Amino acid sequence: MSPFDLSPSLHAALDRPVWSSLTGGHRHLALGGSLALRYPRDIGPFAALADDGPDAWTALAALLAPDEAVMLVTPEAVAAPAGMVCAPLEPVLQMVATRVPPASILAFEVLGEADAEAMRALAGLTNPGPFAARTHLLGEFIGMRENGELAAMTGERMRPEGTVEVSAVCVHPAHRGKAYARHLLAERTRRIAAAGRLPFLHVYPSNLGAIALYESLGFVVRHRLHLTRVVLAG
């Protein structure tokens, strides 16, 4: 796998990962219509516009409750019309895999519904990004346990056609320094690649430790994307 061999259609899909996911592998979760889409609130805060026209913004506004915010991930900065408020946040780097890591020598397990509470607790301790009540339904999650407790996990999030996002790389503070993140990330990458899809992920530019880990496993930066928080005015 090489980011330089991606088709133009795949590059376009990755430029707009939320829209591409909600019209692709997660279309069954999408709320909205042809102009604006969002994930259910208890799955995640991400939403997307078909374009930057006023009709699309009006459609997005109709999907929001007065007390909630959604996040847009876009290739260019956006500005909301009257009636909505945009707050630009730290941009994210989108990284794609260029090779398949070797198999891990550590034992892991596939996590399921019975593990949902423990997964949310671990995400709450480590803050890997938004993790709501049903975020674990976005894809397959794998984890490692110590003395029966969930010590580390990683999973899947957005699913544009032909790709799967690696997400929620979490290690309990009591178990850091054991290379759990490396092994789980490598296994998650291998599983996505084995299914014939391109693994990708998002990371803040300021998270230098995570970037170094991802680069050591063969991920390279493809693009810098804008992250924007959107709420209804007033």
Side-chain angles (χ1 to χ4, degrees), residues 41 61 63-69 231-234:
R41 187 171 184 171
L63 297 175
L64 302 185
D67 64 337
E68 72 173 324
V231 298
L232 297 175

Side-chain angles (χ1 to χ4, degrees), residues 73-160:
V73 184
T74 58
E76 305 294 339
V78 297
M84 305 187 79
V85 177
C86 281
L89 303 177
E90 184 180 4
V92 292
L93 300 178
Q94 186 183 85
M95 304 182 74
V96 296
T98 61
R99 65 174 186 264
V100 180
S104 171
I105 60 173
L106 300 183
F108 65 89
E109 62 183 83
V110 176
L111 304 175
E113 189 64 37
D115 306 297
E117 184 176 349
M119 295 165 72
R120 288 193 297 273
L122 182 57
L125 278 174
T126 56
N127 192 27
F131 204 96
R134 293 199 299 147
T135 298
H136 63 284
L137 300 181
L138 289 174
E140 184 182 71
F141 282 74
I142 56 176
M144 293 175 173
R145 295 187 185 277
E146 283 206 17
N147 299 319
E149 293 185 342
L150 188 61
M153 71 173 183
T154 191
E156 300 172 345
R157 190 165 61 183
M158 299 177 203
R159 303 179 72 88

Side-chain angles (χ1 to χ4, degrees), residues 214-226:
Y214 303 151
E215 289 178 337
S216 73
L217 290 170
F219 283 83
V220 300
V221 174
R222 191 196 74 88
H223 202 14
R224 181 186 293 256
L225 298 176
H226 293 265

Side-chain angles (χ1 to χ4, degrees), residues 124-203:
L125 278 174
T126 56
N127 192 27
F131 204 96
R134 293 199 299 147
T135 298
H136 63 284
L137 300 181
L138 289 174
E140 184 182 71
F141 282 74
I142 56 176
M144 293 175 173
R145 295 187 185 277
E146 283 206 17
N147 299 319
E149 293 185 342
L150 188 61
M153 71 173 183
T154 191
E156 300 172 345
R157 190 165 61 183
M158 299 177 203
R159 303 179 72 88
E161 292 293 350
T163 70
V164 177
E165 181 189 14
V166 181
S167 186
V169 182
C170 305
V171 179
H172 193 287
H175 299 291
R176 289 174 181 161
K178 301 177 181 180
Y180 286 172
R182 169 177 292 277
H183 285 276
L184 285 174
L185 181 62
E187 181 61 30
R188 179 77 275 143
T189 302
R190 291 180 68 252
R191 286 179 166 234
I192 293 170
R197 296 179 173 88
L198 175 72
F200 74 102
L201 54 82
H202 294 108
V203 61

Side-chain angles (χ1 to χ4, degrees), residues 49-64:
L49 303 165
D51 55 50
D52 199 29
D55 290 344
W57 282 102
T58 298
L60 177 61
L63 297 175
L64 302 185

